Structure formats: structure tokens, C-alpha cells
Amino acid sequence: LVGKGLLFSYNEEESNQRIDSFLAFRINDLTRSRVQELIKKELITVNGRPLKSSYRLKRGDEVRVIIPPVTLYELKGESVE
């Protein structure tokens, strides 16, 4: 999933659902707040265009998601004297 583009289709019952709720349900590792963050960074688009988290799905929409790799940090302790 990470670093790759995902393309979603949805069924008629999911139409008119908020994009952030839809993706948080469909992608197990993403929370709704993480989806909103990706939307702000324009890594989630509908029909090739950036959108807001409150966007509601419509028939024929093409949802693309790019999940960037997570940056890992190494923590080093310091001696306390």
C-alpha cells in the first residue's frame, strides 16, 4: 500500500458518503484524521482534482489515493550526569 497509488470504485449504496469516511472504512490502516491529512496534502484526488474532506461521492467518481512512506526516526539517549 505505501508509496503506491490506489484506485477505488464504490457501489451505489456508498454514493453520497463523505470521502474521508469512505476511505477510512475501505483502508484498514488509515484513520479518518490521516485521510484528512492526505487530502490536505493533495495525495487523495477525485477525478484528478484535489478536494475537501467533506466531499461526498457521486456516481462515476474515480478516487485515487497515494500513501507516502512513513519516515522513521532513531532515538538516541544521552547520558545524564
Side-chain angles (χ1 to χ4, degrees), residues 2 4 12 26 33 36 40-41 43-44 52 58 67 75:
V2 175
K4 299 193 181 221
E12 196 64 35
R26 283 292 193 95
S33 60
Q36 291 169 351
K40 285 179 187 171
K41 292 180 178 180
L43 294 173
I44 297 175
K52 293 183 179 183
K58 298 179 186 121
I67 302 171
L75 300 176

Side-chain angles (χ1 to χ4, degrees), residues 9-66:
S9 60
Y10 53 92
N11 61 42
E12 196 64 35
E13 293 153 5
E14 294 170 314
S15 193
N16 201 34
Q17 186 175 0
R18 280 178 57 122
I19 188 74
D20 55 353
S21 297
F22 169 77
L23 290 173
F25 178 77
R26 283 292 193 95
I27 305 173
N28 294 334
D29 295 337
L30 288 184
T31 62
R32 200 165 145 208
S33 60
R34 177 71 169 134
V35 170
Q36 291 169 351
E37 180 184 318
L38 295 175
I39 289 172
K40 285 179 187 171
K41 292 180 178 180
E42 298 185 1
L43 294 173
I44 297 175
T45 59
V46 173
N47 303 323
R49 295 191 171 118
L51 61 146
K52 293 183 179 183
S53 299
S54 60
Y55 180 84
R56 295 193 176 269
L57 294 169
K58 298 179 186 121
R59 177 184 273 177
D61 279 348
E62 182 179 272
V63 179
R64 265 189 204 280
V65 179
I66 298 173

Side-chain angles (χ1 to χ4, degrees), residues 41 69-77:
K41 292 180 178 180
V70 175
T71 304
L72 299 176
Y73 297 96
E74 184 179 334
L75 300 176
K76 293 183 179 181

